[in-house]
Amino acid sequence: MGAGGGEPVAGTGRLAGVRRVSERYLPIAEHGLIGDLRTAAVIGTDGRVSWFCAPRFDSPSVFGALLDADDGGAWSLEPVCEVTNRHQFYFPDSNILVTRFLTVDGIVEVQDLMPILRPRDSGHRQRLVRRVVNIRGKVRLRTGIAPRFDYGRADHRLDVTSTGAVFTGPTLRLDLRTSERLAETDDGFGGEFDLDEGETALFVLEVLAHDESTGEHDSDLPDEVERLFRATVGFWRDWLGQSTYTGRWREMVHRSALLLKLLTHEPSGAIIAAPTCALPEKLGGERNWDYRHVWIRDAAFSLYALLRLGFMSEAEDFFSWLTCRFSDPGDGEFGPLRVMYTIDGEPAQDEEVLEHWEGYRGSAPVRIGNAAAEQLQLDIYGELIDSIYLFNKYGNGISHQDWSNLRQVLEWLLENWDKPDEGIWETRAGRQEHTFSRLMCWVAIERMVRMARQRGLPADLGRWTTVRDEIYEQIMSRGWHEEKDSFTQRYGTFVPDASLLLMPLVKFCAPTDPRFLSTLRVVERTLVVDSLVFRYDPDQSPDGLDGDEGTFSICSFWYVEALARCGRGAEARLALEKMFTYANHVGLYAEQIGLTGDQLGNFPQAFTHLSLISAAINLDRAIGD
C-alpha cells in the first residue's frame, strides 16, 4: 500500500470553491479532442481534461467536469503564474493536440495524445499521454488528477507509488506514471513543479481492468513517451495519406476526416455520433441528449464520405457493422431496424438522469442513454439502404446473404411505409405523417430497384416499383402545399423544414424542378439567416420540449449543397466559407450555432462534419476548375 494509505476517496468531492457557474466552464468551442479509436478525451484551452470515458466511448466517465465543474472529476494542468494568452492546435496531419500557454514568465506547451501504434492493434494499451515542454523562460506549473468513477457515483482507492499513483475504482484502475514529484491532495493527486527552458515533464495515465497488474514499468519514461509520440504521428499521417481529396478545401475536409476516424470504434467498425453527452442545445434548457451511440441515419453520410475520400478499409468495416443490424428480424412495432444502437449493435440503453450533476453551466437535466431509441423513424430505412447502394456502387459489392436480408427489410417497409412516425428530428410530440420520412422510404425502394437492375439480382420489381410510385405520388400531392408553393414538414399543415433540402440530393427531384426551387425560396425566407439554417420553427411545429434552439450546422451544409446543385455556385461558395468561420480554433463543430455565434450541443459531432465533406466535394464538382 502506497503513501495514500489506501483509504477510499469519495465519488464526489468539491474540486474548487463555489463560484458563479459561468466562471467554472469554458465555452464548448474552447476544446479539442484526442482519442485512440476506442474512446476519446475532451481537453480545454486551459489544459484541463474535462471529459474522458473509459475504456469505451459509451463507458461511464472518469473525468466529467464538462458536465459538473466541481464534482465531475478532471485532470488539470496549467501554469501557476499569470497567463497572457492561450493557443491550441493539432500537430500537423494528426489528432495530437497541442495547448500553448503564453505567460509572464515564459512560454510552455502541453502535448496531448492517446497512442495508436498500428492499425487493428490486438495488444492495444489504452493510455493518455501528456508531455509538457518549456519553450522559453522558467515557468512553474500546477497539476491535479482527480478522477470520479462512474459519473462521480462510485468511490475509489488511491495508492501512491514510486512512479506516481494508482486510482482503483469498481471496474477500472488508472495507473499514473510521471517524471515529477507529486503527492496526495484533498481531491486526488498532484502538486506544483518548475520547468527551465528546454525541460519537459511527462505524464502517462494507463487504463487497466480492475484486477489487471500495473506492471513494473522498467522502460525509461522519456524514451517511451518519445516513441509513443512518433508512432502516433506516423499512424495518423499514414492514414490521412490515403485520402483522395484534392479539392479547394483540403484543410477543412481533412480535419473532418480525421475527426470521423477519431469517432470510429476500431474493434467493431462502428462510428458514434459524438463523444459527449448532455451538452445543451440551449444554455439552461432541457434539450440535453446522449450522442455516444451509432445512428442508422448517419450510415449513408458516413459511408459516402469514407468512400468518396478513399478510405475503403473503414467503409468496409462500417458496412460489416451495418449488415449485422439488418440480419436481425426485429419486431412488429419498429421493424427490423432501430433508430440507434450501441457500439456493439445492441439497442441503446434506457434514458437516465444524473440528478447529482448540475450540467454544463447549470444546464440540467444531465441525460445518459437516449429515449429516442424507442421511437419509430421510418427515414432510417432509406438512409441505410442508400448507404448500401453506395457501397455496392463504389466498394466491393454486397453478398447474396446481404441481399437476402435486405429483401426481408424491404418487405417490412413495403407494408409499413405509410405509418405516422416521430421523424428525422426525433421530436417528442407524438407521431405525425412526415414528408421526409416518406421521401426516404421512396429512396429505400428506389435504391433496391437500382441494385437489382444493375446486378440482375432477384427482385419483385413489379411490386417494388408500384409502391415506389405510390409514395412518389403521395408526396407530390399530400406533401405539397399549394397555397404556400412549397413542400411541407408534415401532411395536412404547413411547416417549412430544412430536411426538404435533401430532395435533389437523394435524386427525388431535379435541383431545378420548380417545386424544389420554390421550396428552397421558402426555406431561405423562413429558416435561413445568412449562411445559418434552422431545422424548423418550434413555434410552428411544437416538438414536445421547452425552449428554443440554435441553427443546425448540418442543415447549413445541406443548404450549401442545395445551392450548388441548383446552379448558384457563387452563393454556395460564399455560404460555405462563412460556415468555416463558425468552426472552433481547431476546425471542429458542435451540433448547433447559438445566437451569438457560440457552439451548442454535443461536441464534436460527426453528422456535421460528414455534411461538410459532402458539401465541399459536390461544390468542387459544381464550380469546376
Side-chain angles (χ1 to χ4, degrees):
M1 188 176 296
E7 294 298 323
V9 179
T12 58
R14 308 306 283 181
L15 295 177
V18 176
R19 291 168 281 151
R20 287 189 302 167
V21 169
S22 62
E23 295 177 348
R24 294 182 284 118
Y25 295 88
L26 289 175
I28 291 173
E30 287 293 313
H31 295 88
L33 191 75
I34 62 172
D36 64 351
L37 309 185
R38 277 97 178 151
T39 189
V42 176
I43 302 173
T45 55
D46 58 358
R48 181 173 60 165
V49 180
S50 58
W51 185 254
F52 178 57
C53 299
R56 307 195 329 173
F57 295 108
D58 55 358
S59 298
S61 65
V62 172
F63 299 130
L66 190 63
L67 298 179
D68 193 302
D70 295 328
D71 292 338
W75 182 353
S76 61
L77 182 52
E78 61 185 350
V80 174
C81 62
E82 178 186 352
V83 176
T84 59
N85 212 335
R86 300 178 301 198
H87 300 282
Q88 200 173 60
F89 62 96
Y90 280 110
F91 201 79
D93 295 335
S94 83
N95 278 315
I96 295 176
L97 190 67
V98 180
T99 306
R100 181 168 281 204
F101 297 95
L102 280 59
T103 79
V104 294
D105 292 335
I107 302 171
V108 65
E109 71 179 30
V110 181
Q111 302 166 357
D112 286 309
L113 66 143
M114 294 189 70
I116 309 173
L117 304 185
R118 63 190 69 86
R120 307 179 191 279
D121 185 358
S122 59
H124 179 76
R125 294 168 57 191
Q126 193 162 69
R127 289 163 287 191
L128 203 167
V129 176
R130 314 197 75 181
R131 178 163 64 179
V132 188
V133 181
N134 190 354
I135 306 299
R136 188 174 180 183
K138 181 175 182 178
V139 181
R140 187 167 182 81
L141 295 105
R142 175 193 303 117
T143 191
I145 303 96
R148 297 292 181 262
F149 292 81
D150 189 22
Y151 305 110
R153 298 179 294 193
D155 293 347
H156 68 270
R157 175 189 180 105
L158 168 64
D159 291 292
V160 178
T161 68
S162 60
T163 55
V166 177
F167 306 87
T168 304
T171 60
L172 292 178
R173 304 181 76 187
L174 301 179
D175 179 18
L176 174 72
R177 286 181 291 149
T178 177
S179 61
E180 304 308 305
R181 187 179 298 275
L182 305 175
E184 184 177 358
T185 66
D186 291 341
D187 295 317
F189 187 71
E192 297 183 358
F193 55 95
D194 294 308
L195 288 182
D196 289 327
E197 190 169 307
E199 289 185 335
T200 63
L202 305 173
F203 303 86
V204 177
L205 185 70
E206 184 168 2
V207 178
L208 303 169
H210 181 269
D211 57 353
E212 188 176 353
S213 171
T214 56
E216 297 299 324
H217 305 315
D218 292 331
S219 62
D220 180 73
L221 192 57
D223 289 346
E224 179 183 354
V225 170
E226 179 63 20
R227 177 179 62 84
L228 294 175
F229 185 94
R230 291 181 179 275
T232 304
V233 169
F235 171 86
W236 288 115
R237 289 182 173 174
D238 288 347
W239 180 81
L240 191 60
Q242 301 172 64
S243 171
T244 57
Y245 180 77
T246 57
R248 294 169 176 80
W249 298 285
R250 183 175 178 273
E251 183 176 354
M252 293 299 293
V253 168
H254 279 177
R255 178 48 55 194
S256 294
L258 284 163
L259 184 274
L260 181 60
K261 179 65 171 176
L262 202 56
L263 298 184
T264 301
H265 183 254
E266 189 176 68
S268 67
I271 302 174
I272 62 166
T276 59
C277 67
L279 286 177
E281 297 178 9
K282 179 184 179 182
L283 292 180
E286 66 169 334
R287 301 168 187 261
N288 315 322
W289 316 116
D290 188 347
Y291 278 11
R292 297 171 299 160
H293 301 98
V294 186
W295 263 256
I296 289 295
R297 182 172 297 114
D298 295 17
F301 292 88
S302 298
L303 279 179
Y304 175 81
L306 292 168
L307 290 166
R308 292 306 303 272
L309 295 177
F311 297 112
M312 297 302 301
S313 176
E314 284 74 17
E316 290 170 1
D317 288 345
F318 195 25
F319 177 78
S320 295
W321 186 93
L322 285 170
T323 56
C324 291
R325 307 291 76 76
F326 62 71
S327 63
D328 185 348
D331 58 47
E333 172 66 13
F334 299 102
L337 290 178
R338 292 297 185 99
V339 174
M340 68 186 78
Y341 294 89
T342 68
I343 289 168
D344 297 321
E346 299 297 325
Q349 68 185 62
D350 294 337
E351 197 166 282
E352 178 185 355
V353 173
L354 301 181
E355 301 283 0
H356 63 290
W357 274 4
E358 70 175 3
Y360 175 80
R361 295 198 173 187
S363 299
V366 174
R367 292 187 176 95
I368 57 175
N370 200 311
E374 297 301 317
Q375 291 187 353
L376 176 65
Q377 298 176 22
L378 291 169
D379 65 286
I380 64 174
Y381 290 90
E383 284 128 4
L384 173 71
I385 294 176
D386 190 40
S387 71
I388 295 168
Y389 164 77
L390 292 170
F391 185 82
N392 189 62
K393 181 178 180 180
Y394 295 110
N396 294 327
I398 62 174
S399 69
H400 165 73
Q401 188 60 54
D402 291 338
W403 181 249
S404 297
N405 291 337
L406 273 177
R407 290 168 68 190
Q408 292 300 313
V409 171
L410 191 65
E411 281 300 314
W412 183 89
L413 190 62
L414 291 171
E415 297 294 330
N416 292 275
W417 66 267
D418 207 18
K419 286 184 175 181
D421 71 345
E422 277 85 2
I424 182 176
W425 303 127
E426 300 177 356
T427 62
R428 303 194 178 191
R431 296 180 179 178
Q432 307 284 339
E433 293 181 300
H434 290 99
T435 303
F436 184 78
S437 296
R438 301 297 198 273
L439 169 68
M440 295 310 293
C441 288
W442 177 91
V443 168
I445 302 171
E446 196 276 339
R447 299 305 190 265
M448 289 289 285
V449 170
R450 283 198 195 190
M451 284 190 284
R453 286 175 170 166
Q454 287 170 357
R455 291 187 51 190
L457 296 169
D460 187 352
L461 290 177
R463 183 181 178 217
W464 292 4
T465 55
T466 296
V467 177
R468 179 199 63 186
D469 295 347
E470 182 183 349
I471 298 173
Y472 180 91
E473 296 293 352
Q474 187 189 92
I475 293 172
M476 285 300 183
S477 59
R478 299 184 63 199
W480 175 257
H481 197 287
E482 198 70 44
E483 182 182 341
K484 299 294 185 179
D485 202 27
S486 173
F487 288 106
T488 181
Q489 181 189 78
R490 306 190 311 271
Y491 293 172
T493 186
F494 178 68
V495 179
D497 193 301
S499 67
L500 302 174
L501 294 171
L502 288 175
M503 283 184 155
L505 278 61
V506 298
K507 312 298 184 184
F508 178 80
C509 62
T512 55
D513 186 299
R515 286 196 170 193
F516 176 72
L517 292 177
S518 61
T519 300
L520 176 58
R521 287 192 292 270
V522 169
V523 169
E524 287 181 308
R525 187 170 64 250
T526 58
L527 300 179
V528 177
V529 180
D530 198 36
S531 65
L532 301 172
V533 183
F534 291 94
R535 53 182 183 170
Y536 59 89
D537 184 352
D539 291 336
Q540 294 188 57
S541 179
D543 53 17
L545 297 165
D546 293 332
D548 52 15
E549 58 187 18
T551 58
F552 267 59
S553 293
I554 184 173
C555 298
S556 298
F557 290 117
W558 289 347
Y559 176 55
V560 169
E561 192 164 347
L563 291 175
R565 287 176 182 265
C566 69
R568 296 164 60 182
E571 294 173 74
R573 184 169 186 175
L574 179 59
L576 183 63
E577 295 288 357
K578 286 183 176 181
M579 279 306 300
F580 288 160
T581 70
Y582 292 105
N584 81 339
H585 56 285
V586 289
L588 302 180
Y589 292 86
E591 183 177 47
Q592 300 182 29
I593 304 296
L595 178 64
T596 58
D598 51 319
Q599 298 214 29
L600 296 172
N602 284 302
F603 172 88
Q605 195 197 40
F607 214 172
T608 302
H609 287 270
L610 293 167
S611 61
L612 182 158
I613 292 170
S614 181
I617 289 173
N618 285 288
L619 182 54
D620 272 322
R621 179 193 300 157
I623 61 182
D625 297 331

